[in-house]
Amino acid sequence: AKISVDEGEEVIPQTVLHLRGDASIAQGGASISKFQWKVTKQPEGSKQTFVPGPSFPNPTFTANAAGEYEFCLEVFDSSDPPQKSCEPACVTVLVIPSEALHLELLWKTPEDEDETDKGQGVGADVDLHFAHPLAQGPDLDCDGAPDPWFSTQFDTFWFNPKPKWGSAGSEADDARLDLDDTDGAGPENVNLSEPQGNLDELQQYHVGVHYWNDHGFGPSYATVRIYVLGNLVQEYTDIALKPLDMWYVGKLNWPNVNIGGGTEPVMQTCYQTGDQCKYAVDPTDPAAGQMWQPTGEVCIRRCYLSPLASSGGATCSP
């Protein structure tokens, strides 16, 4: 068995890899009668598969999530009975973000038995949000300040995948959503080449996750990974979300400790103690609480409906 990868062994996220096994050879005048590809390693949460399938000599594979992938190939010859290659051929491909900021959202939905299938309504639809410091939307979390979500000029999400934030004629200071995954598992990712902010004037971007529609599959468990200059610097794993939950992950500081001279942490994580909307009505309510606490549960607002559009009939569980 012999393997090559047209794109090389170090690529950026969202690269479609063209894997080639047709240079494999059989001994003694036989020919190759069967190919068997396997993904022996991929980033946790990634659920990509070979296209058209693992039995094709030269399949493709979309390396959506950052991290390390290992592909192995076994071949069988045309003798009777077929002889398998003594050892599989394997190759490792590293997927490394090239932008200053790279954010990934992946999720798993236990009730979805096949998170790799494609099509409308065949999986849970969870959305990544990355908002500019100027983003302002309705105050649906009852903290007395505008929420950054669904601000069409300043929130990067499925409805606004390539907002214009910075200099005219330049896209380097604009965030972009590379993929809106509507049918399960992700990843969705947002990239920003040249974040605004400097050592004299810190900028804080907003990171959030909205469970748009479960399509009947129930709760999902979301993972968010944040890369700075190609390095994984923050990860939130398996955060339980119900349909129409809005998870305010936190505020991303730029610059930060991972940038030369930066002193602030990468993230100001949002924690809450109880329900802030109940606190706004009655601070003595046993279920009342407040956001942006040093410890507590992650900040999730139940039944967070988009002010822009219906979630396609999704229902929430307060």
Side-chain angles (χ1 to χ4, degrees):
K2 295 182 180 295
I3 294 179
S4 64
V5 183
D6 286 357
E7 291 70 25
E9 297 178 16
E10 185 174 310
V11 300
I12 62 174
Q14 302 290 347
T15 298
V16 178
L17 302 175
H18 291 78
L19 305 168
R20 299 197 176 276
D22 56 4
S24 301
I25 56 175
Q27 303 293 332
S31 59
I32 303 296
S33 64
K34 180 181 177 182
F35 296 82
Q36 185 173 299
W37 289 88
K38 291 183 179 180
V39 188
T40 54
K41 180 185 295 185
Q42 61 179 314
E44 185 175 355
S46 177
K47 300 181 184 295
Q48 298 301 303
T49 57
F50 297 103
V51 178
S55 62
F56 283 74
N58 301 321
T60 62
F61 188 98
T62 302
N64 276 343
E68 182 178 334
Y69 296 75
E70 184 180 62
F71 305 100
C72 291
L73 172 66
E74 291 182 317
V75 293
F76 298 77
D77 69 12
S78 57
S79 59
D80 187 15
Q83 300 297 305
K84 183 174 73 172
S85 46
C86 296
E87 294 182 356
C90 296
V91 64
T92 297
V93 177
L94 296 178
V95 179
I96 302 175
S98 62
E99 314 284 1
L101 288 177
H102 175 84
L103 289 77
E104 282 185 356
L105 164 68
L106 303 102
W107 62 94
K108 55 187 177 184
T109 309
E111 294 300 317
D112 185 356
E113 295 182 356
D114 183 2
E115 295 181 292
T116 67
D117 54 358
K118 304 294 182 183
Q120 182 63 36
V122 300
D125 186 355
V126 184
D127 294 320
L128 179 62
H129 287 249
F130 181 64
H132 189 275
L134 295 178
Q136 293 192 351
D139 179 20
L140 298 181
D141 59 16
C142 308
D143 67 350
D147 297 346
W149 321 123
F150 302 101
S151 172
T152 53
Q153 183 178 359
F154 292 112
D155 185 10
T156 311
F157 67 110
W158 63 268
F159 189 80
N160 191 38
K162 295 182 179 180
K164 293 299 297 180
W165 286 356
S167 306
S170 172
E171 296 183 353
D173 49 7
D174 300 328
R176 72 176 190 275
L177 175 70
D178 285 340
L179 176 66
D180 174 29
D181 189 325
T182 63
D183 49 24
E188 292 194 1
N189 60 32
V190 168
N191 293 284
L192 181 55
S193 295
E194 296 181 6
Q196 298 171 3
N198 53 55
L199 295 177
D200 297 323
E201 188 176 354
L202 178 78
Q203 294 287 347
Q204 288 188 318
Y205 295 90
H206 307 272
V207 181
V209 174
H210 185 241
Y211 197 161
W212 179 258
N213 197 323
D214 71 321
H215 294 295
F217 291 101
S220 287
Y221 295 83
T223 292
V224 169
R225 297 177 181 140
I226 297 172
Y227 293 78
V228 174
L229 301 178
N231 298 307
L232 177 62
V233 297
Q234 189 90 31
E235 183 174 25
Y236 303 88
T237 304
D238 292 339
I239 303 301
L241 298 177
K242 297 179 181 179
L244 295 177
D245 278 359
M246 183 74 225
W247 169 28
Y248 199 149
V249 181
K251 298 175 182 178
L252 192 158
N253 294 313
W254 189 273
N256 53 59
V257 292
N258 289 80
I259 308 299
T263 58
E264 296 297 322
V266 174
M267 290 290 294
Q268 179 186 354
T269 302
C270 186
Y271 294 109
Q272 64 186 19
T273 55
D275 188 317
Q276 185 152 294
C277 287
K278 292 184 178 180
Y279 180 88
V281 174
D282 179 6
T284 65
D285 187 331
Q290 291 184 294
M291 296 170 58
W292 300 105
Q293 301 302 302
T295 60
E297 301 293 326
V298 295
C299 293
I300 295 177
R301 179 76 236 154
R302 307 293 183 192
C303 303
Y304 197 104
L305 292 169
S306 165
L308 297 176
S310 164
S311 281
T315 57
C316 62
S317 301

